[in-house]
Amino acid sequence: MTAVLSAFAVGALLAVSVPNAAHAAECGVRSDGRLYCGNKAGAKGYADRSYRSATRGTLVGTFSWFQCWGHGDPHPGGNDIWYWTQLDNGAWGNVPAVDVSTGQDPAPGLREC
């Protein structure tokens, strides 16, 4: 009986965690034209594509969508790509690619803005 309950508990735990794992692994442009991808928790969104510009808000979670990309100041990710998105406070901002879990920047299929 204990083994059956343990197996059930493990199965239930895996069933709950699979959707989150699927989101974490996903990074691509969907039919709505947006990039859906993992991101660094607490990633900041800036007014301009520069760390010197005002911070408009953050991405609290670790999975977000991005409307488009553009060139800006270089960042620690080794390029100058920044992604435009609506931040968790409702404001819009530029997030440096170093904080987005893309395999390539700019993300293939996402429009430039």
Side-chain angles (χ1 to χ4, degrees):
M1 178 73 168
T2 303
V4 171
L5 287 176
S6 294
F8 176 76
V10 168
L13 187 61
L14 287 173
V16 169
S17 64
V18 167
N20 292 335
H23 277 292
E26 177 187 357
C27 188
V29 176
R30 293 186 187 170
S31 60
D32 63 2
R34 293 176 175 172
L35 170 68
Y36 290 81
C37 197
N39 59 268
K40 177 182 168 189
K44 293 180 182 178
Y46 296 87
D48 298 314
R49 297 174 189 147
S50 171
Y51 289 116
R52 295 183 309 269
S53 67
T55 302
R56 291 192 168 168
T58 60
L59 296 174
V60 177
T62 58
F63 189 81
S64 303
W65 58 266
F66 302 89
Q67 190 71 39
C68 56
W69 66 272
H71 292 284
D73 286 352
H75 52 72
N79 61 49
D80 68 351
I81 304 300
W82 293 68
Y83 293 98
W84 180 247
T85 192
Q86 189 170 25
L87 305 163
D88 290 340
N89 65 1
W92 287 81
N94 295 283
V95 177
V98 68
D99 292 339
V100 182
S101 302
T102 51
Q104 176 183 340
D105 295 307
L110 185 64
R111 71 180 183 86
E112 185 175 0
C113 55

